[in-house]
């Protein structure tokens, strides 16, 4: 913690330690695992959206090709989940390859 005048400033790490638990605790490990999964979902959605836009396809057009509602596709592109089946259909509709690695 750093204090400037009457104000206290905390690092992100200090906030995590206080709110979630110190590094290495089960709570912190679970939090970090879930956060990483969400970041990965977001990045995947961004890549799909960029590929769709590079092909000059609207979300509505792609959703129609895939056979889902546009809202489902939008959730996937926003990193808010989606099934592997949906992901596979979207990749096929965009003509891109989906590689999955299990870690």
């Amino acid at each position: 913690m750093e204090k400037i005048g009457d104000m206290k400033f905390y690092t992100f790490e200090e906030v995590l330690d206080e709110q979630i638990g110190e590094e290495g605790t089960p709570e912190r490990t679970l939090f970090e695992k879930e956060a990483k999964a969400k970041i990965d979902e977001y990045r995947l959605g961004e890549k799909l959206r960029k590929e769709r836009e590079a092909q000059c396809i609207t979300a509505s057009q792609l959703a129609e090709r895939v056979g889902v509602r546009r809202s489902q596709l939008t959730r996937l592109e926003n990193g808010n989940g989606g099934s592997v089946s949906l992901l596979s259909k979207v990749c096929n509709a965009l003509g891109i390859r989906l590689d999955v690695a299990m870690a």
Side-chain angles (χ1 to χ4, degrees), residues 54-69:
Q55 294 184 27
C56 299
I57 302 170
T58 67
S60 295
Q61 290 169 329
L62 182 56
E64 188 175 322
R65 285 185 193 179
V66 174
V68 297
R69 292 187 307 271

Side-chain angles (χ1 to χ4, degrees), residues 79-99:
N80 293 323
S83 67
V84 174
S85 174
L86 174 59
L87 178 58
S88 178
K89 289 176 185 177
V90 169
C91 289
N92 285 336
L94 290 172
I96 58 176
R97 186 171 152 198
L98 174 63
D99 288 328

Side-chain angles (χ1 to χ4, degrees), residues 7-70:
M7 298 178 67
K8 297 177 185 176
F9 293 90
Y10 298 90
T11 66
F12 184 65
E13 190 68 29
E14 289 172 326
V15 173
L16 284 177
D17 288 348
E18 177 67 28
Q19 297 297 315
I20 308 298
E22 292 186 12
E23 195 169 327
T25 62
E27 296 84 4
R28 179 72 170 267
T29 301
L30 178 61
F31 172 80
E32 289 174 350
K33 182 179 177 181
E34 290 174 348
K36 183 185 179 318
K38 281 300 200 184
I39 291 167
D40 289 345
E41 285 180 19
Y42 175 79
R43 288 180 177 154
L44 175 63
E46 278 289 297
K47 287 182 179 186
L48 291 173
R49 182 186 56 77
K50 287 179 181 179
E51 180 62 32
R52 175 181 58 75
E53 290 175 347
Q55 294 184 27
C56 299
I57 302 170
T58 67
S60 295
Q61 290 169 329
L62 182 56
E64 188 175 322
R65 285 185 193 179
V66 174
V68 297
R69 292 187 307 271
R70 187 177 63 80

